[in-house]
Amino acid sequence: MPMRVGIGILGGGVVGGSLARRLLGDRASISEKTGLDLELVKVAVRDIDKDRAFPRDYVTHRLEEVVDHPDVDLVVELMGGLEPARSLILRALQAGKPVVTANKELVAADGPALFDTAAAKGVSLLFEAAVGGGIPLIRPLMESLAGERLTRVLGIVNGTTNFILTAMDEGGTSYEAALAEAQRLGFAEADPTADVSGADAAAKATILAGLAFGVWVDQGQVHREGIERLDRGDLAFARQLGYVVKLVAAADRNPTGVSVRVHPTLVPRDHPLAAIRGATNAVFVEGPAIGQLLFSGPGAGGEPTATAVLGDVIDAARELLAGAQVAPRIRFNDRAVGDITSNTTRWYIRLEVADAPGVLAAIAGVFGSAGVSIASVWQEGRGDDATLILITHEGPESAHREAVKQLMALDVVKQVAATIRVLLPES
Ligand SMILES: NC(=O)c1ccc[n+]([C@@H]2O[C@H](COP(=O)([O-])OP(=O)(O)OC[C@H]3O[C@@H](n4cnc5c(N)ncnc54)[C@H](OP(=O)(O)O)[C@@H]3O)[C@@H](O)[C@H]2O)c1
């Protein structure tokens, strides 16, 4: 006899709608496979008159009704945003109901407090879909890799920006044209700020860093650069030099602590991340024993994301019925957050310079005095509009910043037009 678990969903949009439809349509096959009878009870939405992918009978606009409903044993939060999602999740946990969420923004902002509440109440709070959509990534980090001393997590975790950068790289289009195309095809929101500013990727990087290193970094401490100011000219230069530009989220340890960052990065064309095109996501997890693991697949979309959510629902339902939560799955320590200037880095630098004798010597002198060594230099154009492109050797980020500061003060340098970090093979 399958064991019944009542499911209430907060949010019936892209992901919530797919999940509701799957819970109804796949109820028998899920039961056959897992021995669980997952019964959809209610779905809370804002607009009860909108057409949905599931029958209207399940819809309500009363959010608390879903959480408090006596037949709801497990709550799935798929509304997004900080409030009222946070209060509703806490309300469910306080009532001893396990919660599954895909809300990266909320988990990144408040993860430890929410996990503490769940642990204190002895119920699960799972969030597989919060990073990488349909890619199983959170559970491998929390469980399969719990015994590995991880050294670095890095990857492409925002499909919108990857779609835009792929279009700029392959089609030679401007940022504005690529963004407009992404919006037309539904890969970017009408207000794309959270994606293109790197904020969405930063929230995901916080979660990945927290799970990999046990340090929960405040969003304000994530070094974040978006793609809004990228020039298609730099993507074209990068292409000529054998690189592709990607928005990379990374976390690793440096001498000051765990450094978490999101910024455009030159990735060598033969690196596996270079092949990640369009809205696909991919994350490398590195450790001394495991080497490199690559997780890749659909980072968004209602159906793949609903699969990840459904996996969490099944896991949480099993724990609920067993009366035991595998808790706490992860502990967070007070270890220091790393200062990005203590990282080792390589930079691509584009300078607009005067085409005059001694320019190269002056620029080389600045790099030398800052302690940064130059790996290669290219010159484009002659006359008043000469462009110099430099790629540095690995060195301290602080020294690179010092070199750029000094370059800006040189008379022969008209503009430091671009600085983009180059992917390091390992941390
Ligand atoms: N979409 C993806 O591919 C994806 C991938 C990974 C993670 N996620 C995460 O999954 C969550 C849901 O994303 P989504 O794309 O499904 O969003 P969505 O399509 O905008 O759906 C949000 C749902 O929540 C409802 N809602 C929002 N605020 C409400 C309120 N105050 N009261 C009642 N209902 C409210 C909306 O009601 P109405 O339908 O009436 O407007 C809608 O049904 C977010 O945290 C997102 O970051 C999404």
Side-chain angles (χ1 to χ4, degrees):
M1 182 70 182
M3 292 173 289
R4 181 200 165 278
V5 175
I7 314 290
I9 310 179
L10 301 167
V14 174
V15 184
S18 292
L19 179 70
R21 197 179 47 71
R22 298 267 290 275
L23 282 169
L24 295 170
D26 299 348
R27 186 170 176 179
S29 62
I30 291 171
S31 163
E32 247 170 56
K33 203 168 164 183
T34 65
L36 297 168
D37 178 28
L38 301 180
E39 184 192 348
L40 180 64
V41 178
K42 280 281 170 213
V43 184
V45 295
R46 208 186 271 125
D47 176 359
I48 50 169
D49 296 323
K50 214 188 255 181
D51 279 342
R52 308 274 168 190
F54 54 93
R56 195 170 281 260
D57 319 353
Y58 292 93
V59 170
T60 174
H61 64 269
R62 287 196 290 273
L63 295 159
E64 280 83 7
E65 182 190 320
V66 172
V67 176
D68 299 342
H69 199 295
D71 294 338
V72 168
D73 306 303
L74 189 157
V75 173
V76 185
E77 185 277 308
L78 295 168
M79 299 162 52
L82 296 178
E83 284 293 349
R86 178 194 347 227
S87 304
L88 292 161
I89 288 176
L90 287 170
R91 186 180 178 114
L93 294 172
Q94 294 290 359
K97 298 186 182 187
V99 173
V100 173
T101 179
N103 192 334
K104 64 219 105 174
E105 193 187 350
L106 178 61
V107 173
D110 266 353
L114 296 171
F115 303 141
D116 283 350
T117 305
K121 299 306 288 185
V123 291
S124 315
L125 171 61
L126 300 178
F127 50 100
E128 180 61 68
V131 185
I135 309 169
L137 182 57
I138 300 296
R139 190 167 281 104
L141 274 174
M142 270 198 301
E143 297 178 8
S144 327
L145 297 168
E148 176 81 2
R149 201 179 143 71
L150 297 173
T151 50
R152 183 168 70 164
V153 183
L154 99 157
I156 295 167
V157 293
N158 182 276
T160 304
T161 47
N162 203 48
F163 179 93
I164 293 170
L165 293 176
T166 304
M168 288 174 73
D169 175 56
E170 295 177 2
T173 31
S174 66
Y175 165 75
E176 290 75 17
L179 169 61
E181 178 69 352
Q183 286 171 321
R184 194 181 65 77
L185 295 172
F187 288 116
E189 306 273 341
D191 176 3
T193 313
D195 292 316
V196 299
S197 70
D200 173 83
K204 292 166 178 170
T206 290
I207 297 172
L208 294 178
L211 301 180
F213 301 111
V215 178
W216 208 267
V217 175
D218 190 81
Q219 289 300 279
Q221 293 173 305
V222 178
H223 175 85
R224 172 160 68 84
E225 292 170 37
I227 65 164
E228 311 100 308
R229 286 197 299 274
L230 278 180
D231 188 303
R232 69 175 133 176
D234 288 309
L235 274 80
F237 282 131
R239 173 177 268 274
Q240 282 174 34
L241 305 178
Y243 295 94
V244 58
V245 178
K246 297 289 188 188
L247 185 69
V248 170
D252 54 16
R253 294 175 200 279
N254 72 26
T256 57
V258 172
S259 147
V260 187
R261 52 203 185 271
V262 173
H263 50 68
T265 305
L266 259 67
V267 176
R269 291 236 167 228
D270 58 0
H271 189 280
L273 282 186
I276 303 302
R277 300 175 65 256
T280 306
N281 283 193
V283 174
F284 270 102
V285 178
E286 300 170 357
I290 207 77
Q292 282 191 322
L293 293 176
L294 175 61
F295 299 85
S296 148
E303 288 301 308
T305 307
T307 295
V309 173
L310 203 40
D312 276 352
V313 167
I314 290 166
D315 195 9
R318 283 183 178 134
E319 287 183 354
L320 181 71
L321 292 171
Q325 187 219 7
V326 189
R329 278 180 166 84
I330 194 100
R331 287 177 188 277
F332 301 105
N333 307 311
D334 270 344
R335 270 175 296 172
V337 173
D339 178 355
I340 190 173
T341 60
S342 301
N343 283 357
T344 299
T345 191
R346 282 185 82 187
W347 281 14
Y348 160 104
I349 301 171
R350 175 163 60 89
L351 302 174
E352 301 303 335
V353 297
D355 189 21
V359 169
L360 266 182
I363 289 169
V366 161
F367 279 98
S369 80
V372 175
S373 109
I374 300 171
S376 349
V377 185
W378 294 265
Q379 179 167 347
E380 290 271 325
R382 298 198 63 81
D384 285 347
D385 293 325
T387 298
L388 275 189
I389 311 246
L390 302 102
I391 292 191
T392 65
H393 278 302
E394 279 182 44
E397 168 107 10
S398 52
H400 280 74
R401 290 181 181 217
E402 178 57 30
V404 166
K405 204 167 107 192
Q406 290 185 28
L407 286 171
M408 290 199 286
L410 280 185
D411 283 346
V412 292
V413 173
K414 295 181 183 167
Q415 194 192 0
V416 178
T419 57
I420 308 177
R421 292 173 188 78
V422 179
L423 184 73
L424 299 184
E426 53 194 36
S427 57

